Amino acid sequence: MLPPGGDWVRRDFLKGVLAGTAAWIAAPAKAVAQARNGTEKRADANAPAAFVPILQGATTSTTAQFSLLIYKDLDIRIGVSYIDRASDSAMADVQLVLERKHRDDSPWIAYKLRVSGLEPGRQARLDVIGSDGRLLDQREFSSLRDTAPETTRFVLASCMHDDWLKESPAMWDALSAAKPDFVFLLGDCVYVDTGPWSSITPERIWRRYVETRLTLGLYRWTQLIPVIATWDDHDFGKNDKDSRWGMKDASRAIFDAMYAQEPTDDGAVFAGPGIARGFHAYGHRFLVTDGRSFRSSRWARAQRETFWGPEQDAWIENELNASDAPAWLLNGTQYFGAYRSGLAWSFEGNHAARFSDFVHRIRSVRAPVVLGSGDVHFSELQKIDRSVFGYETYEITSSAMHSYPRSLPKGNPRRLAGTSSYNFCLIETRMEDAALRMDLTCLGAGSRELFKIKDLTVRR
Ligand SMILES: [Fe+2]
C-alpha cells in the first residue's frame, strides 16, 4: 500500500550501513532468471512484474548509483556484497543513500540508490529484497577500474522505441556483450508521444517511462553497465518540442526521478543547467548536454535564437576551457546536418546563428573536442576538417537502437562511414603523444560489425 495523499514529488531518504552478504537472502533464483528472458509485448504498467527494472547510473571508481522501479513496496532492502569474498566478510564501509518518488496514479515507485566506499573495479552483487523477505532481483556490477588512465571504451546509443519488440532484445544483448566501461544514452530513450499527440500529461510521461523500463533488455542486464543519459524530443515529451513546451517542468522532474546521475563529492560527476551532466573518467571529460530545455523555436529570428541557452553555453565554454584533457561534447540533436536541406534536423540547420557562435567558441578551446549525437535514425562518422575548428576532428552520430527505420540520406561530403541498420557506436580511445586516438565500431544485432574505422586521431 502506498501512503495516502501527496503526489510523486514526495521524497523519502533512508540512510544505512550495509553489512556483507545478508543472511535474509532466500533466493527464488528461478523466478529471477525467467524474468530476464525477452518480452513479447509492451508491458502493462499497472501489473506487477517478475523482475525489478534496474539501471546502473553514474559511477566512479568508488561509488555507484542505481535507479530501480519497485511495485508498491515501500520497505525494500538492498544487499551489496563482493562476489569474490567469503560470505561472512563485511562491507562495513558501504553506505547506501536511498531516495524514492511515486505518483498516486501509478503502482510503481522510483528508487535511487548510491553505494559508496567501493573498491575500484571489484565485482559486486546487488540484491533487492522485498518487505516479505523475498529476493525480488539480483544483479552484478562494479565501480570503474582505477587503472590505465586515458584509455577507455564507451558506447553512444539513442532512439530505443519500446514498440520494436522483435528487434529490441538482440540489440541490448549485443550492447551487453560489448562490455563497455559506460554508456551514454543520447535521447529518445522513452517515446512519450506514442499514441494520441494531444493528451500528454505527467501521468502519461511517467507511465511511458515505466512501460519502457518493463520492456527493454537494458533494464534486465545480469551484469550492469553504468549509464548516463540525456533526452531528445520524444523523452522531453513531444516531437520537436523546445523551451516553450508546457510539460517541460513535469518532464524534467520525472527524468530526474528515473535516472541516478547525482553529482559526486569528488567532482567526477557534476550537474549543468537543466538535465546537463559533466563526467570525468580515465583522463577524459564528457559533457552530456540538455539540447531541449532552453532551445528556441527553430523559426526564431537569428537574434532571439538559442540552442543550449546562454547559461548552458557559458557552462560548456567554462568546462571546455578548464583543462587540456580531451573533451567529448554529447547532445541528442546532430550538430552538422545542414546537408539534409529541407529536413534540417540539426543544430547547424535549425539554429544557424548560434551554431556559428558555437563553432567560433570551440576554435579557441585548447583541448581536443569530439562531438557525439543521436536522434536521426542512422549512424554516421563525419570528419570535420581543419577549416571549421582549426584542427581536424569528428562527429559521431549514433542512432537508432530500435525505432522507426530510415534510409541513410545521400549527399553528406563529411561522411566517412554510415549505416541505417539498428546499431550503437562503440568508441575505444586512448591518449598517445598528446593526441587523442580512437577506434570507432558500429555494432548491430548479433554483435555484427556494421562499420569499423581505426586510428582516428584528434590533435590540438
Ligand atoms: Fe528517435
Side-chain angles (χ1 to χ4, degrees):
M1 266 288 286
L2 299 177
D7 58 18
W8 66 272
V9 179
R10 186 170 47 240
R11 296 158 151 224
D12 299 284
F13 294 92
L14 304 175
K15 265 189 180 182
V17 176
L18 296 178
T21 34
W24 23 260
I25 297 173
K30 221 193 261 175
V32 174
Q34 282 168 355
R36 296 226 177 88
N37 295 334
T39 53
E40 277 158 22
K41 59 182 170 59
R42 192 199 282 176
D44 176 357
N46 286 314
F51 74 109
V52 175
I54 300 178
L55 188 70
Q56 184 173 353
T59 297
T60 69
S61 58
T62 58
T63 67
Q65 299 179 40
F66 302 89
S67 56
L68 292 71
L69 281 181
I70 303 286
Y71 189 78
K72 288 185 176 172
D73 191 339
L74 283 162
D75 293 309
I76 59 157
R77 286 179 293 169
I78 302 294
V80 178
S81 54
Y82 291 124
I83 287 169
D84 58 350
R85 278 218 172 141
S87 59
D88 58 348
S89 62
M91 286 176 70
D93 55 344
V94 173
Q95 196 181 46
L96 196 72
V97 179
L98 198 145
E99 172 189 324
R100 57 194 180 190
K101 294 184 184 178
H102 59 84
R103 296 179 55 83
D104 288 346
D105 50 32
S106 168
W108 292 93
I109 307 162
Y111 280 76
K112 289 205 286 191
L113 320 176
R114 186 172 65 227
V115 179
S116 51
L118 291 164
E119 291 177 34
R122 189 156 200 169
Q123 276 295 310
R125 207 177 64 196
L126 183 82
D127 296 315
V128 186
I129 300 101
S131 53
D132 59 0
R134 254 183 350 119
L135 180 66
L136 301 175
D137 211 324
Q138 184 175 75
R139 309 295 180 97
E140 294 174 16
F141 74 97
S142 76
S143 55
L144 302 186
R145 74 204 136 75
D146 205 13
T147 55
E150 302 185 338
T151 299
T152 184
R153 309 165 75 251
F154 63 91
V155 159
L156 305 182
S158 76
C159 300
M160 44 213 75
H161 200 309
D162 59 334
D163 279 350
W164 266 254
L165 295 158
K166 200 156 65 65
E167 296 82 358
S168 170
M171 293 306 303
W172 295 107
D173 286 351
L175 208 169
S176 170
K179 298 187 189 307
D181 293 325
F182 35 84
V183 176
F184 295 102
L185 297 183
L186 300 183
D188 294 349
C189 310
V190 178
Y191 281 76
V192 167
D193 52 350
T194 287
W197 274 20
S198 56
S199 57
I200 291 172
T201 59
E203 181 274 337
R204 178 167 165 187
I205 300 172
W206 178 275
R207 178 168 49 79
R208 293 293 298 128
Y209 269 79
V210 170
E211 286 169 350
T212 302
R213 288 186 175 219
L214 290 170
T215 305
L216 303 193
L218 168 62
Y219 301 98
R220 296 164 182 249
W221 282 338
T222 307
Q223 174 71 49
L224 299 173
I225 301 170
V227 168
I228 295 182
T230 186
W231 55 24
D232 198 38
D233 50 348
H234 296 291
D235 30 14
F236 189 50
K238 203 168 181 178
N239 190 50
D240 202 30
K241 282 295 174 193
D242 51 45
S243 59
R244 301 166 300 165
W245 170 228
M247 284 290 122
K248 74 175 178 181
D249 292 337
S251 187
R252 160 83 188 270
I254 293 168
F255 182 98
D256 286 340
M258 293 282 178
Y259 291 102
Q261 41 197 33
E262 297 300 318
T264 55
D265 294 343
D266 62 1
V269 181
F270 52 100
I275 61 160
R277 287 291 182 273
F279 175 52
H280 294 175
Y282 302 120
H284 293 254
R285 302 181 295 154
F286 301 89
L287 295 180
V288 188
T289 66
D290 181 345
R292 288 288 163 184
S293 297
F294 311 104
R295 176 189 297 213
S296 64
S297 159
R298 58 189 300 199
W299 311 114
R301 290 161 192 264
Q303 273 186 319
R304 305 188 51 141
E305 186 186 274
T306 64
F307 182 74
W308 279 311
E311 190 195 347
Q312 192 170 209
D313 283 341
W315 179 74
I316 292 167
E317 187 171 12
N318 286 340
E319 291 301 330
L320 292 179
N321 283 314
S323 92
D324 292 347
W328 300 78
L329 193 53
L330 308 179
N331 179 55
T333 303
Q334 198 171 34
Y335 297 83
F336 290 88
Y339 74 94
R340 295 163 74 201
S341 53
L343 238 183
W345 300 103
S346 65
F347 188 176
E348 181 189 31
N350 288 355
H351 295 79
R354 293 296 81 77
F355 189 74
S356 164
D357 297 346
F358 159 71
V359 167
H360 187 73
R361 285 198 306 276
I362 297 293
R363 285 183 75 89
S364 63
V365 172
R366 293 198 320 273
V369 178
V370 183
L371 307 175
S373 54
D375 175 50
V376 291
H377 296 203
F378 57 87
S379 282
E380 64 181 354
L381 171 67
Q382 299 188 75
K383 183 165 92 176
I384 313 303
D385 73 37
R386 192 175 298 276
S387 65
V388 180
F389 294 126
Y391 62 103
E392 194 171 285
T393 189
Y394 299 91
E395 174 169 0
I396 299 160
T397 303
S398 179
S399 178
M401 280 293 279
H402 42 85
S403 190
Y404 304 98
R406 185 174 292 154
S407 57
L408 191 62
K410 294 188 169 74
N412 184 358
R414 294 194 171 100
R415 184 185 300 147
L416 300 182
T419 182
S420 60
S421 296
Y422 295 138
N423 75 93
F424 57 88
C425 290
L426 172 68
I427 295 156
E428 298 170 272
T429 184
R430 61 213 175 266
M431 289 300 286
E432 265 175 30
D433 306 326
L436 180 151
R437 303 267 253 172
M438 62 172 156
D439 302 338
L440 169 65
T441 314
C442 190
L443 292 161
S447 302
R448 188 159 73 95
E449 263 183 30
L450 298 164
F451 64 78
K452 178 165 186 136
I453 311 277
K454 293 189 74 164
D455 290 323
L456 298 163
T457 302
V458 183
R459 186 189 304 276
R460 194 68 179 95

